[in-house]
Amino acid sequence: MAAAVVDSAMEVVPALAEEAAPEAAGLSCLVNLPGEVLEYILCSGSLTAADIGRVSSTCRRLRELCQSSGKVWKEQFRVRWPSLMKHYSPTDYVNWLEEYKVRQKAGLEARKIVASFSKRFFSEHVPCNGFSDIENLEGPEIFFEDELVCILNMEGRKALTWKYYAKKILYYLRQQKILNNLKAFLQQPDDYESYLEGAVYIDQYCNPLSDISLKDIQAQIDSIVELVCKTLRGINSRHPSLAFKAGESSMIMEIELQSQVLDAMNYVLYDQLKFKGNRMDYYNALNLYMHQVLIRRTGIPISMSLLYLTIARQLGVPLEPVNFPSHFLLRWCQGAEGASLDIFDYIYIDAFGKGKQLTVKECEYLIGQHVTAALYGVVNVKKVLQRMVGNLLSLGKREGIDQSYQLLRDSLDLYLAMYPDQVQLLLLQARLYFHLGIWPEKVLDILQHIQTLDPGQHGAVGYLVQHTLEHIERKKEEVGVEVKLRSHEKHRDVCYSIGLIMKHKRYGYNCVIYGWDPTCMMGHEWIRNMNVHSLPHGHHQPFYNVLVEDGSCRYAAQENLEYNVEPQEISHPDVGRYFSEFTGTHYIPNAELEIRYPEDLESVYETVQNIYSAKKEDAE
């Protein structure tokens, strides 16, 4: 019966909303319904915000039900932007109608800015000051971020250019916020020992588009602690750790009781949950991200140690981090409290090696060398983070030449946030930006800072300053957009068009064309190094700029390319920079690329019709 009432009422509401006349036919019937039924109808999800606005203007009863801070507008906000509800407390007073308006305005502003990026920055990397419009936006930043996420979640094969720039903007915004949080964290006194919090900041900065939070990671660790407590209860049902409440920082002094906790931890972590050191894929950045360590249940010594340390301390065992060379360890004090201790009064724990407990001699055997007593000492949070970022820095330097060096860039940012005057790292950062051809103004700022810190770097600094200034001058001299017409006589040998999915005959990789030249436009050195002269047509043939499925960008000779008879999407981070949509057989160029190759799209349609339609007919 209730369902029938609701259904009939739902039919009345839109009509009332349109007419907005108090004497309309069904109004008295509707407004006489119980308040909870009316509220249920208005919150059912079938009415838009505009509908609610019109309904609320029909009479006092409906206006009161649709008050700005009430359930109806809260539901409108929740249905439209569900991910934002976590930012509101159930006990707070919220003007939901006003929040709706502010969020709607932020969304329009976000889309306006994203739409402008392709036109402004198609020919260059987004400069440092390119995000200034975003930083000056009014309204909550979370609203702007939420709209960017909505853009990224649009239907998979469309709006690729919007997604490309939305991702860049979101990456920038979140990294700036995380970096500020990390800098504030580093200002804490030395006795502030939240190692996990610091590690999560590193994780977040390197993975800004992932939903990573200290709260979620702590919740996962708490669930492991519960399992340890269950095992511990079987060892000693009256163990004091079992009485600890969440958030307590009590420590157990008795060695035997501490030992029971560690035994229970080792069983749960390594036997029950199967955590282990990642010996097979040691040099993988995922081993350093705490959320990945918990998901994959593997890591390297420092990340495994931080997990082990966090669990032990929650259960009252005061383990401490040891910045041991080549292999991060934890130490467990065996001496009496207040006594004068040396390195032999500790047992050293190898969390990477299933919690194995080591003596000093065994530690040296582990790394194959004798070390001084100082290296067995405890280190503070900043030193632990320095080592984690140092590991990421080393991994970043190992990236291939065709990659974006994003890990190296991120780890340099993190290291310099902790130690801003490291001359060699500043110089590496300047060289990296120069090599990538991005942010020349920032390169000059870095070089000026290096010269102030260490005038002895004048040679390296002078070279980079000179070439960076030349780069800036060349950019100023660039005029207009080069338009390439297929119909032009000098382009008569060009067989393929932008947007086509191709396959390399020799190397077998799949790629998409995003540019072409009638002949090879690279310098003599590149032509010699790539052995272009050995090709039957040498460098006197069309060459194509292609985005390859492995993330690289290459310059391929026409004779080495062929149509891919089974076209597929190309997983390359820069696809959206050049293309707006993948149709299933080819990519459609965005407005900026089409300006440069105005006749290619028609050629693509002809090729697709001839190649893929014919293939489909043959299959039938």
Side-chain angles (χ1 to χ4, degrees), residues 274-328:
K274 307 298 182 185
F275 276 85
K276 62 180 180 180
N278 195 348
R279 301 179 188 276
M280 299 298 293
D281 192 18
Y282 192 90
Y283 298 102
N284 186 330
L286 298 181
N287 292 323
L288 284 151
Y289 303 144
M290 294 309 297
H291 83 285
Q292 287 289 347
V293 171
L294 289 165
I295 291 171
R296 299 161 72 236
R297 300 190 181 183
T298 190
I300 59 173
I302 191 167
S303 55
M304 295 290 288
S305 292
L306 290 186
L307 175 62
Y308 199 99
L309 172 73
T310 303
I311 296 171
R313 288 195 169 194
Q314 282 188 221
L315 292 169
V317 183
L319 301 184
E320 299 172 301
V322 177
N323 208 7
F324 204 64
S326 304
H327 201 103
F328 201 88

Side-chain angles (χ1 to χ4, degrees), residues 71 161 186 230 235 275 312 335 354 381 415 492 496:
K71 185 177 179 180
T161 299
L186 293 171
K230 184 177 179 180
I235 298 172
F275 276 85
K354 297 189 174 183
V381 173
Y415 207 107
R492 65 181 183 277
Y496 307 130

Side-chain angles (χ1 to χ4, degrees), residues 496-507:
Y496 307 130
S497 309
I498 58 168
L500 288 175
I501 310 298
M502 310 298 291
K503 194 176 193 70
H504 197 280
K505 295 178 182 178
R506 183 176 179 184
Y507 299 119

Side-chain angles (χ1 to χ4, degrees), residues 221-242:
I221 291 176
D222 288 344
S223 67
I224 297 175
V225 170
E226 289 179 12
L227 291 175
V228 175
C229 286
K230 184 177 179 180
T231 300
L232 188 59
R233 194 171 287 110
I235 298 172
N236 180 357
S237 61
R238 302 179 66 180
H239 197 285
S241 295
L242 300 175

Side-chain angles (χ1 to χ4, degrees), residues 2-68:
V5 171
V6 171
D7 288 342
S8 61
M10 288 306 300
E11 295 173 2
V12 175
V13 173
L16 292 175
E18 289 297 326
E19 297 184 20
E23 60 272 16
L27 181 59
S28 59
C29 172
L30 180 64
V31 297
N32 287 329
L33 289 172
E36 59 270 21
V37 175
L38 271 175
E39 195 173 70
Y40 178 82
I41 294 170
L42 295 171
C43 293
S44 65
S46 59
L47 299 179
T48 66
D51 291 334
I52 297 298
R54 289 192 291 266
V55 166
S56 65
S57 67
T58 57
C59 68
R60 181 182 299 176
R61 178 98 192 279
L62 291 174
R63 185 164 59 252
E64 289 173 352
L65 274 172
C66 298
Q67 60 181 302
S68 59

